[in-house]
Amino acid sequence: MNAPLLQVSGLTKNYGSTPACNDISFALHPGEVIAIVGESGSGKSTLLRCISGQMEPSSGAVAYTHADGRVTDLFAASEAERRNLMRKDWGFVHQDARDGLRMGVSAGANIGESLMAVGSRHYGKIRASAEDWLSRVEIAASRIDDSPWSYSGGMRQRLQIARNLVTAPRLVFMDEPTGGLDVSVQARLLDLIRGLVRNMKLAAVVVTHDLAVARLLSSRMMVMQNGRVVETGLTDQVLEDPQAPYTQLLVASVLQA
Amino acid sequence: MSGPAYNFAYLNEQTKKMVRRAILKAVAIPGYQVPFASRELPMPYGWGTGGVQVTAAILTPDDTLKVIDQGADDTTNAVSIRSFFSKVAGVETTEDTDSASIIQTRHRIPETPLREDQILVYQVPIPEPLRFLEPRETETRKMHALEEYGIMHVKLYEDIAQHGEIATSYAYPAKVNGRYVFDPSPIPKFDNPKLDNSPALQLFGAGREKRIYAVPPYTAVKSLDFEDHPFSVSGWDKPCAICGSTTSYLDEVVIDDQGGRMFVCSDTDYCKKRRPA
Amino acid sequence: MAPILKIRKLQKTFTLHHQDGAEIPVLENFTASIEKGEAVAISGSSGKGKSSLLKLIYGTYRAGGGSILVRHKRTWADIAQAEPHDIMDIRQHTIGFVTQFLRCVPRVPAEVVVAEPLLERGEEESAALRRARELLAHLHIPERLWHLPPSTFSGGEQQRVNIARGFSARFPILLLDEPTASLDKKNRKRVFELIEEERGSGTTIIGVFHDAAERRKASDREINLD
């Protein structure tokens, strides 16, 4: 068995005296997709921010294993190292595409920036990659020089995904990637994400309140309530044989809907 | 004649000391923007208060000062600053590039090559080259610290995507000494090659933004570009209408109400000396 | 013959926390051993846990007690205790499951749905698709539908795509949960041909079947849960 890609140990984040995440541990293996589900306020977004290095936890550790086997302790590492990791090995898909895109520059520049950030300095190659990625996220290449402001919500989200995946990361964090979109747009986006994640053999941590998203994208689930993980397991285990009272309620309320 | 008792070069000694410390630090870390406590001056921001403070801090009674604005010695801004120092420091002033020991400039580098015993002081409106894409100062400082400069190429990318070439023609970003990306102030990119490996010390002062930075003598300054769109400067297809120079930076001058125009050197001193007597 | 699956004292109870903690017993002290290459039919009256047993073996239901030892990659793995990661590996290589319903992904074409278990195992795409098309043809899915996502298909067509998917990758152990439910006679025959083929190639079959006649046809022996 390979070393886990991400090892989260005893992670706690307090806001004042209130714990938003309480003693959370889990491992994510290469190519694995884990969904963190729970209602708003359950601490899932705080957890995501901590494990993706955007917020320092009150205690606990996050260890990342590089492709060459080297292990980085996220919060013991220098900020330079952490940011380098986030730029080269990781992606982060925000719920609101405006938070993940540079809205002031063209779609092509949004994709290109990721490449330039890791050292690409050949305009022609950068542009060709941007075109390729637009088509992979089903956006016409003719829209490459348009501003993301002229894009629909679904297109912006797909652009954000392209911007994240163009550098072929090993791990992608997604915060409610389909939240705030129309149902039909959601389905298309989920399909797209699922295909890309599989084809690129990406590992992903997906935060969602939507069990359908979890079912479609993830192989494993973590259910959170009041800052704690109340249940974990394979996605089909959690959905078909929920153990915790809260999970049973969550699953039952969805099936009735 | 007994004018008001100004301290030499207007600023008090404490302030000059503080500015000099900032300058020393700036020279020690080429291209790094050093914060300093910019003072009020008897002129508005935008008139070169940053440059004036740097000049005041380095000026000695033996110096000869030249001030240019867009290359010209005879514009309001240049004349005012020259007379300011003439009054508050009593230093000699000149329009001749070769005779000057300190040249304060707005938006140009003289055509005449500079020497080791000269200092070029730039007036800088916006010192932060990353601000175009990242407005947060906390973030841009971090980006400088960690050499995260990919974003600088985004602007150049946009230029090529929109215009087919890098259309940025002034304040063209460059990397100093292989480390810090800096904004050479709004000089035309035509002047960027003169920044590189210059024998003269180059100091940059931003009064409103309270930053000083420097390019020490003989320091590499490389303009940013793409492998397949290398940095280049274009000349003019006509020579200067007055002196006939084919290698200097030309300004377009409208000469009559019929829309007639001509191209002349922006560096007035250079042009004057080339003119047949 | 060597055993491939050893179930000891398996226990499963559903606790419904939102029905005053009601306990629904499903299996109590269930023990069985299944030999490699055997075809076993699970029988019993409705509600005796036939499907639940399959889901326990597949790891979808979590065992309340006991062990489910399966021969996986030259060792024994206990599904009742295994980590999710290990269960995924077991599902990729050792145990296949033909379920009753197809879980549709909206935009994936039928032939890819069928080929997926092979692709996940890292098999070459053209070979995987060739196998998928053979199975779709065998189960009378018209060729014009192969490139379309099954979400638009009729219930019967979806079920046949699902069966094709279940049979596309060969597993040492294949679980079948009433694979012929809702199929017509012609297609039922085709499914039994597939089961025959699997048995011929040495696959261990554990299945829940529609009636006694099907059980006799598809299995060597019966395990009755009554």
Side-chain angles (χ1 to χ4, degrees):
Chain A
M1 173 103 348
N2 298 325
L5 192 65
L6 200 69
Q7 178 75 55
V8 179
S9 324
L11 191 139
T12 296
K13 175 70 187 178
N14 298 315
Y15 292 127
S17 59
T18 321
C21 295
N22 205 333
D23 192 24
I24 290 166
S25 301
F26 71 96
L28 181 74
H29 290 269
E32 200 177 23
V33 180
I34 189 164
I36 304 175
V37 303
E39 58 204 21
S40 42
S42 60
K44 57 190 194 303
S45 291
T46 298
L47 176 62
L48 191 72
R49 285 222 285 284
C50 287
I51 62 177
S52 61
Q54 301 183 15
M55 182 190 271
E56 193 152 349
S58 307
S59 61
V62 177
Y64 172 74
T65 307
H66 296 259
D68 62 8
R70 222 159 21 93
V71 178
T72 295
D73 177 344
L74 208 53
F75 296 102
S78 68
E79 183 167 27
E81 203 177 339
R82 194 156 60 230
R83 283 172 70 116
N84 193 39
L85 185 67
M86 290 161 85
R87 202 164 54 232
K88 288 189 172 149
D89 277 25
W90 294 3
F92 195 104
V93 176
H94 295 262
Q95 172 172 8
D96 187 337
R98 285 174 298 184
D99 295 334
L101 292 174
R102 211 172 276 289
M103 295 300 286
V105 300
S106 68
N110 264 283
I111 300 174
E113 185 188 343
S114 302
L115 293 168
M116 293 183 250
V118 295
S120 294
R121 293 291 181 267
H122 191 286
Y123 174 83
K125 287 178 188 163
I126 292 166
R127 187 141 177 107
S129 285
E131 279 174 357
D132 174 44
W133 268 96
L134 282 177
S135 71
R136 287 171 80 166
V137 297
E138 301 167 12
I139 295 172
S142 61
R143 301 292 306 269
I144 189 168
D145 292 328
D146 293 353
S147 158
W149 287 113
S150 73
Y151 279 22
S152 68
M155 283 170 77
R156 280 182 200 170
Q157 199 57 298
R158 280 180 273 138
L159 178 62
Q160 191 192 181
I161 287 165
R163 175 179 160 93
N164 268 284
L165 299 190
V166 64
T167 51
R170 299 174 71 217
L171 171 59
V172 179
F173 300 95
M174 303 190 205
D175 188 6
E176 302 275 10
T178 60
L181 297 175
D182 291 344
V183 176
S184 60
V185 177
Q186 274 187 22
R188 181 177 181 189
L189 185 66
L190 279 174
D191 249 10
L192 184 82
I193 294 175
R194 183 177 176 274
L196 290 170
V197 164
R198 286 194 167 200
N199 294 336
M200 298 177 73
K201 299 188 170 28
L202 287 176
V205 180
V206 184
V207 157
T208 179
H209 67 279
D210 187 342
L211 292 183
V213 170
R215 178 176 303 265
L216 203 57
L217 293 182
S218 73
S219 53
R220 256 200 314 142
M221 278 174 74
M222 265 169 56
V223 183
M224 286 187 72
Q225 185 191 22
N226 297 329
R228 287 184 180 279
V229 173
V230 293
E231 182 157 2
T232 63
L234 289 165
T235 299
D236 62 324
Q237 285 176 340
V238 174
L239 294 177
E240 295 194 33
D241 186 14
Q243 308 283 312
Y246 176 70
T247 318
Q248 289 188 356
L249 189 68
L250 203 66
V251 172
S253 47
V254 168
L255 294 180
Q256 283 158 12
Chain B
M1 178 192 112
S2 65
Y6 290 113
N7 189 39
F8 177 75
Y10 186 76
L11 296 177
N12 65 46
E13 292 305 313
Q14 284 301 322
T15 300
K16 286 196 279 185
K17 208 182 222 178
M18 175 272 293
V19 175
R20 285 180 204 133
R21 281 201 193 106
I23 291 170
L24 285 173
K25 183 166 178 182
V27 171
I29 316 171
Y32 173 73
Q33 299 166 46
V34 182
F36 80 110
S38 182
R39 294 287 191 255
E40 290 291 326
L41 287 172
M43 63 184 78
Y45 289 133
W47 276 63
T49 54
V52 166
Q53 288 178 84
V54 169
T55 300
I58 60 172
L59 205 59
T60 67
D62 298 336
D63 274 313
T64 304
L65 179 68
K66 170 183 162 83
V67 182
I68 51 171
D69 176 7
Q70 307 269 16
D73 296 89
D74 54 2
T75 61
T76 312
N77 189 283
V79 171
S80 301
I81 293 174
R82 219 162 41 230
S83 77
F84 173 75
F85 279 113
S86 177
K87 184 170 183 181
V88 301
V91 292
E92 212 175 302
T93 62
T94 182
E95 296 191 4
D96 175 25
T97 302
D98 280 322
S99 330
S101 58
I102 296 173
I103 303 168
Q104 180 170 332
T105 176
R106 176 174 173 270
H107 303 187
R108 271 312 309 277
I109 298 176
E111 304 292 356
T112 310
L114 300 177
R115 301 183 311 265
E116 283 181 4
D117 60 350
Q118 292 178 307
I119 299 175
L120 188 58
V121 177
Y122 295 75
Q123 301 170 203
V124 179
I126 298 170
E128 181 48 74
L130 298 167
R131 190 170 301 166
F132 166 75
L133 288 156
E134 178 52 71
R136 288 170 297 176
E137 179 81 17
T138 48
E139 188 65 17
T140 54
R141 276 193 219 176
K142 208 168 274 177
M143 291 160 86
H144 280 295
L146 303 176
E147 280 188 84
E148 290 180 2
Y149 289 133
I151 192 182
M152 278 316 299
H153 279 79
V154 169
K155 188 175 185 300
L156 305 182
Y157 168 95
E158 290 284 75
D159 268 3
I160 302 172
Q162 281 165 27
H163 308 289
E165 58 177 8
I166 298 176
T168 299
S169 55
Y170 62 92
Y172 193 104
K175 198 176 229 187
V176 184
N177 200 28
R179 176 59 181 85
Y180 284 97
V181 166
F182 89 130
D183 183 333
S185 86
I187 58 169
K189 80 170 173 186
F190 177 89
D191 282 344
N192 268 36
K194 296 183 199 148
L195 292 161
D196 182 35
N197 211 34
S198 168
L201 169 63
Q202 304 177 77
L203 301 174
F204 299 77
R208 180 175 32 210
E209 302 267 345
K210 303 176 173 59
R211 293 290 183 277
I212 287 171
Y213 50 104
V215 176
Y218 302 110
T219 300
V221 175
K222 186 181 181 319
S223 303
L224 303 185
D225 60 3
F226 285 105
E227 288 159 20
D228 51 342
H229 286 264
F231 175 82
S232 67
V233 292
S234 51
W236 283 259
D237 44 14
K238 282 180 201 156
C240 168
I242 297 173
C243 75
S245 169
T246 53
T247 55
S248 69
Y249 186 81
L250 304 184
D251 277 339
E252 186 179 17
V253 181
V254 178
I255 49 174
D256 57 35
D257 289 346
Q258 279 68 54
R261 56 199 62 205
M262 64 175 186
F263 288 89
V264 297
C265 289
S266 97
D267 184 336
T268 50
D269 173 58
Y270 173 80
C271 194
K272 206 184 320 173
K273 284 187 188 132
R274 287 177 46 87
R275 237 173 282 164
Chain C
M1 271 302 201
I4 191 165
L5 188 72
K6 296 187 284 193
I7 302 173
R8 299 260 161 76
K9 297 186 171 174
L10 183 62
Q11 196 272 329
K12 178 66 185 171
T13 303
F14 287 112
T15 307
L16 306 179
H17 292 286
H18 298 283
Q19 292 177 21
D20 298 323
E23 303 233 320
I24 300 172
V26 182
L27 287 174
E28 194 63 53
N29 265 329
F30 175 79
T31 295
S33 181
I34 291 165
E35 305 284 305
K36 190 172 182 311
E38 252 194 316
V40 177
I42 312 293
S43 64
S45 37
S46 180
K48 287 292 176 187
K50 301 188 290 291
S51 287
S52 296
L53 177 59
L54 296 182
K55 287 185 174 176
L56 282 158
I57 296 171
Y58 199 58
T60 299
Y61 286 173
R62 290 178 267 201
S67 61
I68 304 166
L69 293 171
V70 63
R71 196 76 191 148
H72 172 62
K73 291 185 172 170
R74 295 160 176 267
T75 64
W76 289 98
D78 183 359
I79 292 167
Q81 304 286 335
E83 291 295 319
H85 199 70
D86 300 321
I87 294 182
M88 282 164 66
D89 197 57
I90 291 169
R91 288 179 184 179
Q92 202 169 65
H93 297 282
T94 302
I95 306 181
F97 198 176
V98 181
T99 53
Q100 286 191 16
F101 303 102
L102 179 67
R103 225 167 257 298
C104 280
V105 180
R107 292 195 309 169
V108 179
E111 58 183 19
V112 177
V113 169
V114 174
E116 253 172 10
L118 289 165
L119 296 173
E120 271 169 28
R121 234 187 237 181
E123 236 158 282
E124 207 249 317
E125 189 172 347
S126 63
L129 286 174
R130 199 177 323 121
R131 166 83 176 148
R133 289 174 192 140
E134 268 171 35
L135 284 161
L136 288 169
H138 181 81
L139 291 166
H140 301 112
I141 302 287
E143 196 173 339
R144 63 182 167 79
L145 295 181
W146 296 356
H147 295 284
L148 301 177
S151 49
T152 56
F153 294 6
S154 72
E157 284 163 347
Q158 286 193 15
Q159 169 63 349
R160 279 178 279 144
V161 171
N162 189 42
I163 291 169
R165 178 184 165 94
F167 280 96
S168 69
R170 286 252 152 81
F171 294 93
I173 299 172
L174 187 62
L175 309 176
L176 301 166
D177 191 2
E178 294 212 41
T180 58
S182 79
L183 292 188
D184 59 19
K185 204 174 159 191
K186 177 180 77 169
N187 282 307
R188 223 176 283 167
K189 184 166 167 289
R190 286 294 167 99
V191 173
F192 277 102
E193 286 170 16
L194 289 175
I195 296 173
E196 268 318 301
E197 201 183 305
E198 288 290 331
R199 289 175 70 183
S201 68
T203 304
T204 306
I205 305 246
I206 304 165
V208 176
F209 299 97
H210 189 62
D211 54 31
E214 282 199 353
R215 281 199 291 277
R216 273 196 299 281
K217 210 154 117 192
S219 67
D220 311 315
R221 74 175 164 112
E222 219 173 277
I223 293 177
N224 193 306
L225 298 180
D226 284 333

